[in-house]
Amino acid sequence: MTMAATAAKHDCPVSHCDPYSRENLMDPHAMHAELRDAGPVFRLDRYDCYGMARFAQVHQGMNDWQTYSSASGVGLDDFRKTRPWRPPSILLEVDPPLHTQTRSVMSRVMSPAAMRQKREEWQEKADHLVDDLVARGSFDAIADLANVFPLRVFPDAVGLRPEGRENLLPYGNMVFNSFGPRNEVFLESVANAQPVVQWIMDQCRREVLTPGGFGAQIFEAMDRGEIDETQAPILVRSMLTAGLDTTIIGIGSMVYAFAQFPDQWQVLRDNPALLRPAFDEVVRWASPVQTFFRTTTRDVDVEGVTIPDGSKVLMFLGAANRDPRKWERPDDLDIRRPTIGHVGFGTGIHGCVGQMVARMEADVVMTAMLKRIKAIEIAGEPVRHLNNTLRSLASLPVRVIPA
Ligand code: OVM
């Protein structure tokens, strides 16, 4: 018997759910299960777009940039139809060949070798911070740790001046909100946008960046002719946008994960060599960046359903990272599981270019904690911070038992 030459055509399942409602931003997991079960691809009729929530399709789609383009923006807005909220990123919101050029500059500046040079200094800062927190015994793992550490190391590494750094988190919050709809969460975050955006743009100029920093190195790539003088400041802006909220959530998620899975903290304490896979497992489990859009460049068949050319497709990274079709006991943190393929840093040509920074920050903070802390306990109700793209906490009261 032979199979039919063409696959059967199916109607596209339709979901009426709102991924950007307060309820779903607060706790997306029930919605994720529903969307995965809806099918390999579905329509989100509220937003006139498509979506994918299963691992197989999210992974496949993100690894096919020719079909699933970033050049019309990776938010709900279609740059071909509506004016972008800010001048587009030349890293995130572009396709090759420009993307290849800009990414190579960024990946060199934040290479593993570049990050290794930071280890000693960053470890000292982490040790110092964690010493103080362990002495206190109880603290807020977000306000006193996750929000603090990246701000102590990253802006200095980029080469920012000290004044005005309080604008960094509000800016990241706005940009990550802007990838979703113009809902209340977005509008609240842009209420006072103008001075924040102005400050960010001002910090992207060569004159204000400390010599030797990541920012200055981007301008050195410009001197070598790898990018031009209009592009260098926008790449510095990419660092300021993508480099803080994300790593803050990574560190916060690490603490939250091990507080919820104390046996896994024990496993890690017994075998600190698992630190790197443990961070990947936390990023899989938490998916700090929950979603990004792509835009189709042709009619594309997904398991018998046709997505028309020019459609926005919402990629549910968080849902893919907990798809039971791919992961055993997906909701459990298991630092010994193979996390290969998780899409918590994205995947494909747009996979997180700053992940070495994130890994080094997590590494030094966790190294400091592993040495000093026997157990982490949740000591109060965690409070969520709502964002259209990022899943994060505003507060996580913990108590730590010294080692
Ligand atoms: C950028 C940018 C902004 C937000 C996120 C991101 C996760 C990149 O401006 O290039 O990557």
Side-chain angles (χ1 to χ4, degrees):
M1 224 171 75
T2 53
M3 300 289 288
T6 46
K9 293 277 178 201
H10 301 298
D11 288 334
C12 189
V14 179
S15 169
H16 309 301
C17 86
D18 181 359
Y20 301 102
S21 71
R22 283 184 184 272
E23 298 68 39
N24 284 327
L25 292 177
M26 193 73 79
D27 181 4
H29 296 119
M31 174 191 68
H32 286 170
E34 200 179 299
L35 293 176
R36 282 188 303 255
D37 291 345
V41 59
F42 45 84
R43 277 194 60 75
L44 288 168
D45 64 350
R46 265 190 138 83
Y47 293 107
D48 195 25
C49 68
Y50 290 77
M52 296 177 174
R54 294 186 187 175
F55 178 85
Q57 280 73 37
V58 169
H59 191 268
Q60 198 279 327
M62 304 271 297
N63 277 290
D64 180 2
W65 61 265
Q66 287 97 335
T67 305
Y68 297 94
S69 166
S70 292
S72 305
V74 297
L76 178 60
D77 285 354
D78 188 331
F79 290 179
R80 297 165 310 172
K81 297 176 188 159
T82 52
R83 203 168 74 90
W85 177 81
R86 58 171 196 160
S89 166
I90 55 171
L91 183 67
L92 180 75
E93 295 157 334
V94 292
D95 293 333
L98 176 56
H99 172 267
T100 314
Q101 235 176 312
T102 53
R103 184 180 171 99
S104 104
V105 171
M106 295 293 269
S107 64
R108 195 143 6 93
V109 173
M110 297 182 289
S111 67
M115 296 321 303
R116 276 196 293 273
Q117 293 183 10
K118 299 286 176 197
R119 179 186 289 277
E120 212 178 323
E121 180 200 333
W122 289 13
Q123 186 66 67
E124 257 173 57
K125 290 189 171 166
D127 286 343
H128 179 76
L129 176 59
V130 174
D131 268 337
D132 285 352
L133 295 173
V134 173
R136 280 168 58 183
S138 295
F139 56 91
D140 190 321
I142 306 303
D144 303 327
L145 173 60
N147 281 347
V148 173
F149 186 73
L151 280 166
R152 283 202 188 159
V153 296
F154 188 68
D156 284 346
V158 173
L160 297 186
R161 45 165 69 145
E163 307 81 48
R165 292 180 178 189
E166 67 279 2
N167 290 300
L168 288 164
L169 294 185
Y171 184 72
N173 193 41
M174 284 174 208
V175 174
F176 282 101
N177 271 330
S178 73
F179 298 132
R182 300 299 174 251
N183 56 6
E184 260 178 50
V185 170
F186 167 80
L187 292 171
E188 282 163 26
S189 73
V190 295
N192 190 33
Q194 207 275 326
V196 176
V197 171
Q198 189 59 55
W199 182 85
I200 292 285
M201 295 314 294
D202 287 345
Q203 309 318 306
C204 296
R205 292 174 300 128
R206 188 171 211 171
E207 308 82 78
V208 301
L209 290 162
T210 312
F214 297 159
Q217 290 177 51
I218 291 173
F219 281 92
E220 286 160 21
M222 176 189 90
D223 294 339
R224 295 192 297 269
E226 295 169 22
I227 45 172
D228 70 29
E229 66 284 349
T230 64
Q231 295 171 329
I234 317 194
L235 285 184
V236 177
R237 190 192 66 175
S238 282
M239 284 193 178
L240 302 186
T241 310
L244 273 166
D245 306 65
T246 48
T247 55
I248 284 172
I249 302 172
I251 292 169
S253 302
M254 200 86 163
V255 179
Y256 193 34
F258 285 110
Q260 281 183 63
F261 297 91
D263 61 306
Q264 294 295 301
W265 185 249
Q266 217 38 66
V267 171
L268 185 55
R269 281 189 23 95
D270 293 341
N271 188 358
L274 288 175
L275 190 43
R276 191 186 162 97
F279 186 57
D280 274 301
E281 172 64 353
V282 167
V283 173
R284 179 198 70 80
W285 177 83
S287 297
V289 176
Q290 287 275 300
T291 47
F292 268 132
F293 285 87
R294 293 293 188 259
T295 310
T296 52
T297 57
R298 59 178 174 88
D299 291 353
V300 47
D301 177 278
V302 179
E303 305 284 315
V305 172
T306 302
I307 311 178
D309 181 15
S311 303
K312 282 279 174 179
V313 184
L314 185 50
M315 302 291 188
F316 287 85
L317 308 178
N321 275 339
R322 291 185 181 216
D323 182 355
R325 295 161 189 81
K326 163 76 180 173
W327 312 98
E328 279 171 37
R329 296 168 294 101
D331 299 331
D332 290 354
L333 187 83
D334 175 2
I335 66 173
R336 286 170 294 194
R337 82 162 76 227
T339 58
I340 299 276
H342 81 80
V343 292
F345 287 117
T347 176
I349 64 164
H350 286 282
C352 182
V353 72
Q355 62 181 281
M356 297 309 159
V357 180
R359 289 180 189 285
M360 186 56 76
E361 288 185 18
D363 195 312
V364 295
V365 169
M366 284 298 127
T367 298
M369 292 181 75
L370 284 167
K371 250 186 265 168
R372 295 167 176 78
I373 297 170
K374 191 158 73 181
I376 309 166
E377 295 166 359
I378 296 178
E381 199 53 44
V383 179
R384 291 225 157 258
H385 170 74
L386 299 191
N387 181 283
N388 285 333
T389 302
L390 303 173
R391 179 159 161 79
S392 71
L393 293 173
S395 171
L396 174 62
V398 295
R399 192 179 312 108
V400 295
I401 316 299

